[in-house]
Amino acid sequence: MKNFSNYTDYSKKEELSFESKAVHGALGCEPLTGAVSFPIYQSSTFRHPEFGKTTGFAYSRLANPTRQELERTLAILEEGEYGFCFSSGQAANMALFTLLNPGEHIILMDDIYGGTYRIMAQIFGKYGIEYDFVDLSDLEALRSTIKPNTKMIFIETPSNPLMKVVDIRAVSDIAHEIGAISVVDNTFLTPYFQKPLTLGADVVIHSATKYLGGHNDIIAGAAVVRDEKLAAHFTLQLKSHGSGLAPMDSWLMLRGLKTLHLRMERHNENAKIVAGWLRNHPKVKKVYYVGFEDHKDYAVTMKQTTGFGGMISFAVDSEETVMKILRDVDMVMFAESLGGTETLITYPTTQTHEDTPEDVKEKLGITRSFLRLSVGIENVNDIINDLDRAMS
Ligand SMILES: *Cc1c(COP(=O)(O)O)cnc(C)c1O
């Protein structure tokens, strides 16, 4: 009987570039029938040929062929060894944080995604995990927060929503010096622009809901690692939580990945133009965009990434202007989330960062006149015209 494990793994061939690997995935096509679009294996369980023999699959909570093809494809794209796909980015984070034992300490980026803040503050804190939020783009601040029991440093770069950039290599080196691991939430740039495992990180985490899926049609998460012990941890969590991504959603994400490089190029191009335009708008006080040459972390960006992505935040002159924009945008949609083909505008203080304490938000600059824009892949003139109309 043919099985999946002895089929040619085209994409691991060294000579293929990122784009070809993204299009062809891990197996190249489905091994049993040759289907070019990898099928959706909508089956909860798998028949065994005889006692002691297996096709490699037993029960879809543990492993499913569609999810496995996706996980292997992601591992290839991130230049890792093992991929894991979850029912959401937060499910991936839940699986990650269970690496910590009671009494251990984790340091996280200060303006981190609000849901990740909530996991720490409302769930893991109560199991005796100690945590601190620090601006990891300031290495001195990081060093002074380290404790003897620090076991994990959680980076988000560029950070959400303030677009600070963290030196992945430097922070990973510090983590390893103290016997901790470094984790990078790579949601904003994806492996097309940034590959944290090649910069010394131990774990890459994604909200695959965003650019990896790319079409605002699934909720999904992922983790990719190189180390076998870390892989065993994620395997155990996935099978215990039952948080593996369903076959249909795995297929949608596989389909999304085929155009990741094209979409990221267009997001990048459009965002550069929109950021420049916003900066010259009289009602805009400040634009947060990692592609500006005068961004304080620009040198770090140029060292570790090959693009700036599609995310921009900006502060306007008043809360009234915010309300007018959110009401008057037309093609651009006022909605949570990011990374899809459609341009979305978000109000972080009441949406993504609702559960971040007010004083923390105030200190960070996530105020009531602060907006976040996920620049889509529409025609950039249409995006600018729509914003211009809403802002004037
Ligand atoms: C959206 C997001 C998450 C959470 O992911 P879900 O897929 O919504 O669970 C985590 N980190 C970042 C940076 C995000 O943007």
Side-chain angles (χ1 to χ4, degrees):
M1 191 173 170
K2 278 196 203 172
N3 78 35
F4 283 21
S5 54
N6 59 18
Y7 200 76
T8 313
D9 195 345
Y10 290 111
S11 300
K12 280 232 158 122
K13 283 192 174 165
E14 283 304 311
E15 68 267 25
L16 288 187
S17 57
F18 183 95
E19 293 86 338
S20 308
K21 289 172 179 170
V23 170
H24 289 277
L27 285 173
C29 63
E30 194 263 349
L32 301 177
T33 63
V36 166
S37 166
F38 202 90
I40 303 163
Y41 284 84
Q42 196 69 47
S43 188
S44 48
T45 190
F46 299 85
R47 179 181 173 172
H48 300 298
E50 58 181 274
F51 182 75
K53 290 216 168 131
T54 171
T55 61
F57 298 94
Y59 190 59
S60 277
R61 173 155 47 76
L62 320 178
N64 171 277
T66 316
R67 191 173 84 223
Q68 187 176 84
E69 171 65 5
L70 170 66
E71 291 172 333
R72 288 178 173 175
T73 301
L74 262 188
I76 290 167
L77 297 180
E78 284 285 5
E79 297 191 22
E81 287 295 327
Y82 309 94
F84 302 90
C85 286
F86 296 87
S87 55
S88 71
Q90 291 307 76
N93 275 333
M94 290 295 290
L96 168 77
F97 294 137
T98 55
L99 268 169
L100 296 163
N101 296 309
E104 291 182 340
H105 176 239
I106 173 175
I107 300 174
L108 305 97
M109 187 68 183
D110 58 354
D111 62 330
I112 203 154
Y113 172 71
T116 309
Y117 186 97
R118 181 169 52 227
I119 287 183
M120 267 306 134
Q122 296 186 23
I123 301 178
F124 281 85
K126 113 182 153 185
Y127 294 105
I129 309 292
E130 299 171 22
Y131 54 88
D132 275 304
F133 297 95
V134 169
D135 179 357
L136 296 173
S137 67
D138 177 350
L139 296 180
E140 282 317 302
L142 165 61
R143 283 191 190 278
S144 64
T145 311
I146 288 171
K147 299 202 232 175
N149 55 344
T150 303
K151 291 293 171 206
M152 188 184 291
I153 304 179
F154 189 101
I155 301 165
E156 205 178 85
T157 184
S159 65
N160 179 14
L162 293 168
M163 309 295 159
K164 292 188 280 199
V165 177
V166 179
D167 186 331
I168 296 171
R169 170 75 64 191
V171 171
S172 298
D173 285 350
I174 292 171
H176 298 153
E177 264 169 43
I178 60 164
I181 64 164
S182 73
V183 179
V184 176
D185 183 330
N186 203 25
T187 298
F188 272 29
L189 289 180
T190 82
Y192 182 64
F193 284 139
Q194 174 170 280
K195 297 185 184 68
L197 298 176
T198 69
L199 298 163
D202 301 287
V203 183
V204 171
I205 289 282
H206 277 280
S207 169
T209 308
K210 317 294 169 53
Y211 290 104
L212 296 182
H215 295 75
N216 288 322
D217 54 8
I218 52 168
I219 299 289
V224 181
V225 299
R226 288 179 168 175
D227 179 75
E228 213 174 304
K229 279 209 195 96
L230 286 172
H233 169 83
F234 280 106
T235 303
L236 172 67
Q237 298 308 309
L238 222 154
K239 95 176 161 194
S240 304
H241 301 183
S243 53
L245 191 63
M248 175 76 192
D249 289 2
S250 296
W251 182 83
L252 282 165
M253 191 164 146
L254 268 174
R255 184 157 86 154
L257 286 179
K258 288 175 194 286
T259 56
L260 179 65
H261 49 292
L262 299 175
R263 291 184 285 106
M264 292 313 288
E265 283 293 343
R266 181 59 89 90
H267 284 297
N268 191 58
E269 237 172 72
N270 281 359
K272 218 180 284 183
I273 298 168
V274 172
W277 175 81
L278 277 173
R279 198 173 221 193
N280 289 320
H281 196 284
K283 287 191 181 161
V284 175
K285 291 282 172 225
K286 182 166 180 189
V287 181
Y288 301 76
Y289 172 63
V290 296
F292 287 147
E293 284 180 31
D294 56 2
H295 185 288
K296 77 173 175 63
D297 305 317
Y298 189 72
V300 179
T301 293
M302 295 311 284
K303 195 173 68 171
Q304 69 186 15
T305 79
T306 54
F308 308 117
M311 297 303 298
I312 303 169
S313 294
F314 60 106
V316 293
D317 56 1
S318 67
E319 192 175 340
E320 289 70 57
T321 303
V322 165
M323 293 307 148
K324 182 176 180 324
I325 294 171
L326 298 182
R327 188 189 63 226
D328 290 352
V329 282
D330 184 9
M331 183 188 83
V332 174
M333 290 182 269
F334 170 34
E336 204 143 349
S337 203
L338 63 103
T341 46
E342 298 82 7
T343 298
L344 302 183
I345 193 161
T346 304
Y347 193 34
T349 192
T350 65
Q351 291 185 304
T352 53
H353 290 66
E354 185 190 3
D355 284 346
T356 305
E358 285 304 325
D359 57 322
V360 175
K361 283 192 284 201
E362 197 59 41
K363 200 177 102 216
L364 293 171
I366 307 172
T367 64
R368 301 195 74 83
S369 52
F370 182 87
L371 288 163
R372 192 187 73 185
L373 194 63
S374 171
V375 181
I377 64 169
E378 303 98 333
N379 183 300
V380 71
N381 294 325
D382 292 337
I383 299 169
I384 288 176
N385 289 341
D386 201 42
L387 290 173
D388 194 29
R389 206 186 25 73
M391 285 169 79
S392 52

